[in-house]
Amino acid sequence: MTILGIFMALLGAVLGSFFGLLAHRWPVGRADLFGRSRCDACGRTLTAIDLVPLVSWLALGGRCRRCGAPVSGFFAVVEAAAAAVGAAGVAIAEVRGLGAAGLAATAIFGWALVALAAIDWRHTLLPDALTLPLLAAGLAYQGLWGPLGLPLSAATAAVAGIGLYGLAEGYWRLRGREGLGLGDVKLLAAGGAWLGPFGLSLALLIGSLAGLAFIAALAVRGRLRLSATTQIPFGPFLALGLWVAYALGPAPLAGPVAGFA
């Protein structure tokens, strides 16, 4: 891995720590979003040595250093995912010869997906404060530098958003309950802006298969009883699909990254 790749992985791990905190505090109305972290069991304020991304959780065996209470592995998973996105973003840039702006856009797209997946996994919520800026960023980038161009990017986002909103509304009217959340619809629209029609179709396929595989695994292990009202957050699987489709798809950005050639 290049020095840039190591740097982006470390930066991703640090950002992942914040994303985990964001998922833990923000959706439930915690006023201390930027306040000091504390152990949920004993209330002790955590110090810097307790908060080193990934390292602290592994070194302490997933437990509080003071009271020994278990610390959820959720935060470590989010940190690892954000670190992997940072490193993968550099690899994508190297393979495709992306410009510095392309590398930045790749990282922003991936890290936004990690944050959204974390929040949705924790609270079945995809907040507008993240999905709508992601949509705007996709439109702006494709309009300024991307090969899709603004018309195709906007058209894909509109068709995805309007079409899936229609499906969600139809399901609601037919069954009297939510089948697809509006947050999912907005995330799909944002994905359409970034990926275009082919990439979005691939992302939907990957996300759906990943979600079905996860549900099947839980059902086989007896940890999930399926019924007509069973709710599973789709955001994490959709985010995975969007990122994989972005990584596998044709280069959406262009220009050599300084120092890569």
Side-chain angles (χ1 to χ4, degrees):
M1 185 184 296
T2 64
I3 294 177
L4 181 59
I6 294 172
F7 170 78
M8 292 295 284
L10 293 175
L11 177 59
V14 172
L15 290 173
S17 182
F18 174 70
F19 296 157
L21 184 67
L22 192 69
H24 183 59
R25 294 181 176 181
W26 180 22
V28 291
R30 292 276 295 271
D32 55 342
L33 178 59
F34 297 99
R36 297 289 299 275
S37 296
R38 301 175 182 273
C39 173
D40 289 336
C42 67
R44 181 182 71 90
T45 299
L46 302 182
T47 62
I49 196 172
D50 301 305
L51 297 172
V52 180
L54 288 174
V55 175
S56 294
W57 189 84
L58 292 172
L60 296 172
R63 295 186 175 275
C64 173
R65 188 159 54 90
R66 176 181 179 182
C67 68
V71 177
S72 173
F74 169 81
F75 299 96
V77 170
V78 176
E79 291 164 0
V85 164
V90 175
I92 292 170
E94 290 176 335
V95 170
R96 298 180 181 174
L98 304 187
L103 172 59
T106 298
I108 289 170
F109 181 57
W111 284 332
L113 292 176
V114 172
L116 285 163
I119 295 172
D120 197 37
W121 183 264
R122 197 86 172 192
H123 301 281
T124 60
L125 171 69
L126 291 169
D128 290 350
L130 292 180
T131 55
L132 297 183
L134 186 62
L135 169 61
L139 293 172
Y141 203 93
Q142 291 295 349
L144 292 172
W145 296 285
L148 292 179
L150 182 58
L152 181 57
S153 176
T156 306
V159 170
I162 295 172
L164 289 165
Y165 174 78
L167 287 176
E169 182 68 16
Y171 187 91
W172 173 267
R173 292 179 180 276
L174 181 64
R175 305 299 298 273
R177 59 176 179 268
E178 187 176 86
L180 184 68
L182 292 182
D184 296 314
V185 172
K186 294 167 189 174
L187 179 55
L188 282 164
W194 281 89
L195 300 178
F198 176 78
L200 184 61
S201 299
L202 180 60
L204 270 172
L205 176 62
I206 295 171
S208 299
L209 291 176
L212 289 173
F214 176 78
I215 292 171
L218 289 184
V220 167
R221 297 175 61 184
R223 297 180 59 183
L224 177 68
R225 299 185 64 181
L226 293 175
S227 69
T229 58
T230 300
Q231 290 188 337
I232 301 292
F234 185 45
F237 306 106
L238 178 56
L240 174 64
L242 290 170
W243 179 246
V244 173
Y246 182 91
L248 295 178
L253 310 168
V257 175
F260 283 7

